[in-house]
Amino acid sequence: MSLPAPSSDALAASHALQHLIAADIARAPGAIPFARFMELALYAPGLGYYSGGAAKLGKDGDFTTAPELTPLFGAALAQVAAAIIAQSAPRILEFGAGTGKLAFDILSELAAAGVALEQYAIVELSGELRARQQEKLRAFPQVVWLDALPDAWDGVVFGNEVLDAMPVHLVRKTAAGWRELHVTIEAGSFAYQEQALGGELQRQLAFQIGAEAEAALPEGYETELHGTACGFMATLARMVAKGRGAAFLFDYGFPGHEYYLDQRDKGTLMCHYRHHAHAEPFYLPGLQDITAHVDFTAMALAAQDAGAAVLAYMNQASFLIGAGVGELLLRTDPADAKAYLPQANALQRLLSPAEMGELFKVLVIGNNVALPPALAASDRSHRL
């Protein structure tokens, strides 16, 4: 692959992580599930992609998220948050807050609108990102950081691009049935090794794909099993179901009937390095993001089974339009081209079907609250 060369320090950190993963493989002994490899590559203390010190978001990082493009994204979410807060409690919980930009924009918009927020809690696994958030949000005393999920929650929950970064198991259909892809070492490099599919993964396979659809998939088909993300959704749903509020999950992915198509026979695993996307997860572990598209049907079912209601599912464009992002843009005078055009162009990226508007979806689960009518009208949960 032709990708930008890392610095010597970054390369040394990646080599250290590779040795750590190799030691884990040796203890296994011989091979570890890909989900374990992904967990270490992303979250190994001090060395993993999200636990190390390299910039991850924006022009100096590896990818750009919606909040980094424009404050209009956070301002639109604040409109929806205000509507839910009016029915529940003046509290917001955000998972994986990145640089803190989304929290900053939501808090700024709510303050400008006169909405008093009692608490803005953040659950962040990355120490480096938590430090950046603390600096970014120092003007907002209601911000707190949590090390674990609360048992129950009244208010709003946001998760932007959280589910896609959760470790996945890789499976392949063979003549002898489904096999799990483990990671081993061959000739000094990481390589895949097929192993038998355990009972828990067999149950996850049936839960995600279903017997009829699974039987129709061709031999050689590869895909991801999202057990960790489904477990997270179940935990989140139980938390929401004990309170009064709604959780909004933004991510790229598909409903189940679009996820397991013949043309996706190599799965959806994707890596991001210096704004280059590729499909080689063994390249420079710790220096690149590793993600998989989200199976939103599985996420919705996991939440529903755990006691929360599925309030809505829609693409990002429909959500933002229903949240009033067009009116928010017009706060900037179109005659002021220098101020208006950058925001209009950024919003175009968020809304365009060719960019983030269609690929990114929004799943909303909740308990004892109703969505604003403009959002409820865009619900497509019947497509899940």
Side-chain angles (χ1 to χ4, degrees), residues 250-320:
F250 298 75
D251 229 311
Y252 47 89
F254 313 99
H257 65 89
E258 295 177 12
Y259 200 105
Y260 308 101
L261 299 177
D262 285 352
Q263 59 263 41
R264 264 189 270 284
D265 60 348
K266 295 303 177 185
T268 71
L269 200 75
M270 187 61 59
C271 304
H272 302 274
Y273 176 72
R274 302 282 186 83
H275 294 278
H276 291 73
H278 65 90
E280 300 293 338
F282 300 149
Y283 178 76
L284 295 179
L287 302 188
Q288 64 173 359
D289 195 16
I290 307 174
T291 72
H293 285 53
V294 176
D295 177 343
F296 279 102
T297 300
M299 300 305 118
L301 288 173
Q304 189 171 271
D305 289 349
V310 175
L311 301 182
Y313 167 77
M314 65 195 74
N315 63 31
Q316 179 173 279
S318 296
F319 181 92
L320 291 175

Side-chain angles (χ1 to χ4, degrees), residues 7 31 83 193 241 300 318 332 352 376:
S7 68
Q193 179 186 92
S318 296
T332 303
S352 170

Side-chain angles (χ1 to χ4, degrees), residues 159-196:
N160 184 54
E161 295 195 52
V162 171
L163 297 171
D164 68 86
M166 294 188 175
V168 294
H169 290 267
L170 300 185
V171 294
R172 176 187 293 155
K173 189 174 185 181
T174 72
W178 287 90
R179 306 279 284 178
E180 182 183 5
L181 296 186
H182 283 225
V183 178
T184 188
I185 297 177
E186 292 181 359
S189 299
F190 296 122
Y192 287 123
Q193 179 186 92
E194 289 184 4
Q195 293 202 14

Side-chain angles (χ1 to χ4, degrees), residues 29-263:
I32 57 175
F34 178 81
R36 174 60 176 167
F37 172 89
M38 185 172 172
E39 177 188 1
L40 291 171
L42 296 181
Y43 303 110
L47 295 173
Y49 180 76
Y50 284 107
S51 54
K56 299 157 184 67
L57 307 176
K59 63 182 180 63
D60 297 323
D62 302 299
F63 56 92
T64 299
T65 62
E68 303 295 323
L69 287 174
T70 170
L72 292 173
F73 183 80
L77 268 59
Q79 313 306 310
V80 179
I84 301 301
I85 284 170
Q87 305 171 59
S88 55
R91 301 196 298 162
I92 295 175
L93 172 64
E94 183 182 358
F95 292 101
T99 63
K101 180 69 163 57
L102 178 58
F104 181 89
D105 292 337
I106 292 173
L107 286 160
S108 299
E109 179 68 21
L110 290 176
V115 178
L117 199 63
E118 175 185 298
Q119 185 183 79
Y120 195 111
I122 295 174
V123 176
E124 178 59 66
L125 297 179
S126 167
E128 181 264 336
L129 288 176
R130 181 185 287 211
R132 295 180 67 180
Q133 294 158 15
Q134 289 169 339
E135 175 63 22
K136 179 75 173 178
L137 302 171
R138 63 186 184 277
F140 297 99
Q142 63 269 62
V143 180
V144 298
W145 281 263
L146 306 178
D147 295 321
L149 287 178
D151 182 62
W153 187 260
D154 291 307
V156 180
V157 180
F158 287 126
N160 184 54
E161 295 195 52
V162 171
L163 297 171
D164 68 86
M166 294 188 175
V168 294
H169 290 267
L170 300 185
V171 294
R172 176 187 293 155
K173 189 174 185 181
T174 72
W178 287 90
R179 306 279 284 178
E180 182 183 5
L181 296 186
H182 283 225
V183 178
T184 188
I185 297 177
E186 292 181 359
S189 299
F190 296 122
Y192 287 123
Q193 179 186 92
E194 289 184 4
Q195 293 202 14
L197 204 64
E200 183 59 37
L201 289 187
Q202 290 177 359
R203 287 187 287 274
Q204 185 66 32
L205 181 74
F207 177 75
Q208 284 185 215
I209 305 178
E212 184 176 345
E214 177 271 319
L217 294 175
E219 186 177 324
Y221 194 93
E222 296 176 5
T223 193
E224 304 88 22
L225 297 183
H226 300 267
T228 300
C230 285
F232 168 82
M233 288 300 300
T235 301
L236 175 62
R238 286 190 288 268
M239 182 187 80
V240 170
K242 291 177 182 177
R244 186 183 184 94
F248 300 80
L249 288 307
F250 298 75
D251 229 311
Y252 47 89
F254 313 99
H257 65 89
E258 295 177 12
Y259 200 105
Y260 308 101
L261 299 177
D262 285 352
Q263 59 263 41

